[in-house]
Amino acid sequence: MYSVHVLLDLGSSTDILCHMMPFYSYDVPHTCGPDPKICCQFDFKRLPGGRVSCPWRVPPEAIHTGNVQHRAWMILDQYRKKSKLFRTKVLLAPLGDDFRYSESSEWDQQYQNYQKLFDFMNSHPELHVKAQFGTLSDYFEALRKAGNLEEKNSNSVFPVLSGDFFTYADRDNHYWSGYFTSRPFYKRLDRVLESYLRAAEILYSLALVESKKSDKMNAFPSVDHYKLLTEARRNLGLFQHHDAITGTSKDWVVVDYGTRLFHSLMNLKRVIIDSAHILILKDKDTYSYNPSAPFLKMDDVQSSQDSLPRKTVIKLSIQPRYLLVYNPTEQERFSVVSIYVNSPKVKVLSPSGKPVMVQVSGVWDGTTTVSHEAYQISFMVHLPPLGLGAYQLLEVLSSEMVLADYNIYTSGGNNVQVNPDKVFKIKEMQNSADDITLENSYMKLWFSGISGLLKKINTKEDGKNHQIKVELAWYGTTSNRDKSGAYLFLPDGEAKPYVFTDPPTIRVTHGRIFSEVTCFFHHLTHTVRLYKVQGLEGESLELSNIVDIRGEYNREIAMRISSDVNSQNRFYTDLNGYQIQPRMAMNKLPLQANIYPMTTMAYIQDDGIRLTLHSAQSLGVTSLKSGQLEVIMDRRLMQDDNRGLGQGLQDNKITANLFRLLLERRNEVDEKEEKSSVSFPSLLSHITSSFINHPVIPMTTYAESGVPQILNAFSPLTSSMPCDMHVVNLRTIQSKADSGPSDEAALILHRKGFDCKFSNKDTGLLCSTTQGKIKVHKLFNKLIVESLIPTSLSLMHSPPDARNISEINMSSMEINTFRIRLR
């Protein structure tokens, strides 16, 4: 027994009393005591004649007067031995397993036989035992009494532990670090759905308030859409199951999960476009709802649960089409938006009607041929917090557009043909030892002219060069009988470099909004994009990979970033998107023990610099040598690893993953901080993370529908929220009467902890911090807050003194829920 100490709490008021199972498993053979051969004889589902038996070849015996004394003594001996591992005389012996108690006969077998044993023990005081059935509450109540936890200020007998239990091994070197990456396609889909669900909840809550303001808007399908939101919450919630998001389900179960996620994704897109419609209309009396001809449509489509989304091509004409862009973050935002259109002769007007600079890039058929069915246009949007901006797209003869130029590097060996193009300048080059360079106002990048991979970064603020190399590598699995599977990572030694016989084709894009280097390897397409804009988008690199290892056999593919950061063996990973945990790579442990889960970010640092890898999907991460960060991107394994799944991992998909690499200068580092058990991202890092996890959402008006008057922008907040405040959600609460919405919403806020030793000068953050205080009446624009009442996180309980408040005041690292009524 011990308490788990919550790292950020200042006292012990949030310590959680925990029980830890001391043996190999939670099944009956491993929970009565140290000897599974004996404990198995007390799992009465395994009585002779049943479907399951004991692998130790000694079956249970039904308890009767002739054997009760001997059998009670046997199990009591196991209980006593087990109790020596705990600090009190209160012992928990769980009695169950997966897929148990599915029929009443088992219930009878267990209950009747154990009751005879308990009756015998309890009627013999010389055995010094009291045995009974009980619930977990009964156990913890008895434990609190025995452990002196009832009296205030008394010293507890239980030790206190801080930190977590990663990385887990149940026996030998069988570390469960494989599932941190298993089925990465769905780990990414999960995050996309999470982002869409939050956007849909917030827009719906605002649209619902709007829809009550005039009779014409009663047509808004508030009840139907609320049902879609409820179903999406349930499907996303279901996928958090420990065999779903982990990638440890059978193939056909994965298809079911994927189908649910996919359907909810499509339904949420409907909620988003219908909510945006009502919010952006200028004259609400012109509102009409027609589900067969929606006012807006999304700019991408996904054709099935296991395919990647594709951009739709927007048809331009001399009549302007609106492009609405939604900003799901709670700060004012400058972001680059890229969409596909059918003509390169394009003009884009901002919400205020001014032309904006547009980069026109090619849409490629394969590696070297430009398609002329579509063109990608990219431009900077400026959006209000949680709001919409209305941009106009039209076809013109002359415009502010800038065409991207291309250099394509090929080697003689790979038979690649580069065709000249009628729109774009494309220059064919030979793979060579000369470096490829890209730069913006923050940094200059060097890439290898042979592999196309990043080699070096120069930060312009201080003029320093940083060796930062991207490498690709393979892991195999051990030749022993026990091999890697969905749960376990059992590599055959260190990773081997990704070797290519011919250098990859490298396509370099030079543009005014972004430049990028794309390398086409056999198993993946790797892109590094540098945005040439001021502010947050330009301060980090965007790395994306499209991975395809469907033809491989017992292999895992990793991306490694090697740098001259003197991180020694320390690195940092987030536990849950909320909290960063320092990690140590230990040479005395097997390699697989040093892999940790990365939910949203991992970083390494030394006295002068921090290098953060932000991730848009959960994957396994490690730092095996000083200056390295390594991410395992996909794994294909041909066998089961005996942890209950019963199959390998052979249903790999073409999988996209997305990262941002952020280099920051560290100032005034103190020794204490380096040894501390917590660490925090900078504000810039937090907002970079929210940009990658909550991308802007572009929508276009249907050309055919003749566009009514719309607002230039919709701004629900009076100004940006403080930089360290995140709106986790603004979600409408269900009505008590039916499955539709009520007139209340849950406003869930999270105040982030950040490292203030990083400079916020010139970071382009469009927000400030206010020590966690927010004036409620100043929060919303054109909406009145009728009431705002603090409640428990889950909304299930209201504190006894709950009343309407006018100022929100939160401590760092806190999450709070409020019931809010808007009109």
Side-chain angles (χ1 to χ4, degrees), residues 22-25 27-40 42 74-86 91-94 114:
F23 305 123
Y24 168 65
S25 172
D27 61 6
V28 185
H30 296 94
T31 46
C32 91
D35 189 341
K37 182 177 178 179
I38 291 174
C39 293
C40 194
F42 294 88
M74 272 173 75
I75 195 168
L76 186 52
D77 179 56
Q78 290 296 307
Y79 289 162
R80 282 205 197 285
K81 286 172 175 159
K82 182 178 178 182
S83 76
K84 295 281 183 264
L85 300 169
F86 295 89
L91 187 72
L92 174 69
Y114 268 97

Side-chain angles (χ1 to χ4, degrees), residues 457-529:
I457 299 180
N458 171 279
T459 42
K460 295 193 173 174
E461 180 192 13
D462 57 8
K464 282 194 177 143
N465 283 337
H466 306 275
Q467 301 302 318
I468 294 179
K469 283 199 330 228
V470 171
E471 301 161 306
L472 302 168
W474 287 113
Y475 283 99
T477 188
T478 161
S479 54
N480 299 344
R481 201 178 54 126
D482 293 319
K483 292 179 165 38
S484 297
Y487 298 86
L488 305 182
F489 180 39
L490 292 164
D492 57 354
E494 290 186 10
K496 300 185 177 52
Y498 184 99
V499 181
F500 42 85
T501 41
D502 291 315
T505 300
I506 306 166
R507 187 170 69 221
V508 182
T509 308
H510 288 288
R512 288 279 288 282
I513 300 282
F514 71 84
S515 293
E516 68 183 11
V517 176
T518 300
C519 340
F520 295 91
F521 296 100
H522 180 53
H523 300 91
L524 86 162
T525 301
H526 168 78
T527 302
V528 175
R529 178 179 288 192

Side-chain angles (χ1 to χ4, degrees), residues 728-741:
V728 178
N729 216 338
L730 175 64
R731 106 182 142 77
T732 301
I733 295 169
Q734 189 171 323
S735 143
K736 288 198 166 73
D738 54 36
S739 55

